[in-house]
Amino acid sequence: MTEGDLDEVTALAASAFAQPWGREVFAEELARSWSMLRTLRAAPGGPICAFANFWLVRDEVHVLNLATAPELRRRGYAQLLLDDLLGFARAHRARHVTLEVRRGNAAAQRLYRAAGFAVIGVRPRYYAEDEEDALVMLLTLDPETGFVEPREDVAF
Ligand SMILES: CC(C)(COP(=O)(O)OP(=O)(O)OC[C@H]1O[C@@H](n2cnc3c(N)ncnc32)[C@H](O)[C@@H]1OP(=O)(O)O)[C@@H](O)C(=O)NCCC(=O)NCCS
């Protein structure tokens, strides 16, 4: 992603999240050496269909944002970005991939669970605007093989 994509990503985030980040926040992410912003276009030069934003900190990849334009959902775009993110994690020999997801966000949880994430914790009333809980999800990679280590949900 480049600075030229900032307006489009900001608009996509506004259509996908209740409390979306503004342009300046994405610009800050772009400037951080440890932050990755990936965009997906169905065709070269076409509009951005989906984007992902994640950090690499030591042996952990932390997912901050993953969103698909509302009119383009259920076409596998988020799956492609998640696969790319996990490939990045493996290439950097990251051991853990973590994220927070709203307790009521069944769509995202299903996507993450299918990849091997499991719920390991809860942050009560994490989302200040409506006080919804965040579930903390974790995926662990074997550093030698890159395989996902099996993990069960902890109930909260
Ligand atoms: C969650 C989100 C990123 C999924 O994007 P998407 O491009 O539609 O997802 P995909 O088409 O790649 O779906 C992959 C899998 O995720 C699951 N999934 C996605 N949307 C789903 C839905 N509405 N209901 C149930 N499962 C869903 C399914 O398992 C799906 O596989 P399938 O279509 O073969 O059944 C999208 O709904 C979104 O942008 N939501 C708003 C932002 C958000 O909540 N982001 C996550 C923050 S943690």
Side-chain angles (χ1 to χ4, degrees):
M1 173 175 161
T2 65
E3 233 180 287
D5 296 325
L6 278 174
D7 287 340
E8 232 182 313
V9 165
T10 306
L12 203 164
S15 71
F17 294 108
Q19 292 289 313
W21 288 359
R23 190 182 194 281
E24 19 355 290
V25 184
F26 285 114
E28 282 169 19
E29 289 300 313
L30 209 49
R32 292 187 165 121
S33 60
W34 62 89
S35 180
M36 315 297 141
L37 272 156
R38 299 277 167 89
T39 54
L40 197 61
R41 298 173 194 273
I48 293 172
C49 305
F51 78 96
N53 176 204
F54 50 96
W55 285 1
L56 175 66
V57 182
R58 295 179 181 268
D59 68 344
E60 178 180 337
V61 169
H62 183 69
V63 185
L64 292 105
N65 276 296
L66 175 65
T68 299
E71 69 280 11
L72 297 172
R73 291 185 183 161
R74 295 313 281 271
R75 298 181 192 192
Y77 292 135
Q79 187 69 63
L80 280 172
L81 284 170
L82 189 57
D83 291 346
D84 169 69
L85 183 155
L86 294 177
F88 173 93
R90 290 185 177 102
H92 289 81
R93 301 180 76 80
R95 177 109 175 92
H96 304 293
V97 185
T98 58
L99 57 88
E100 279 106 18
V101 59
R102 283 178 179 267
R103 192 188 276 280
N105 191 347
Q109 287 171 35
R110 186 160 162 208
L111 168 74
Y112 297 136
R113 277 212 174 81
F117 285 84
V119 175
I120 57 150
V122 62
R123 300 195 200 284
R125 300 178 297 283
Y126 181 76
Y127 299 95
E129 61 276 15
D130 57 6
E131 301 203 330
E132 185 170 354
D133 294 347
L135 300 181
V136 181
M137 298 189 85
L138 169 71
L139 175 149
T140 302
L141 294 168
D142 181 310
E144 296 309 316
T145 63
F147 289 159
V148 175
E149 294 184 358
R151 182 178 291 281
E152 296 288 316
D153 268 2
V154 179
F156 289 97

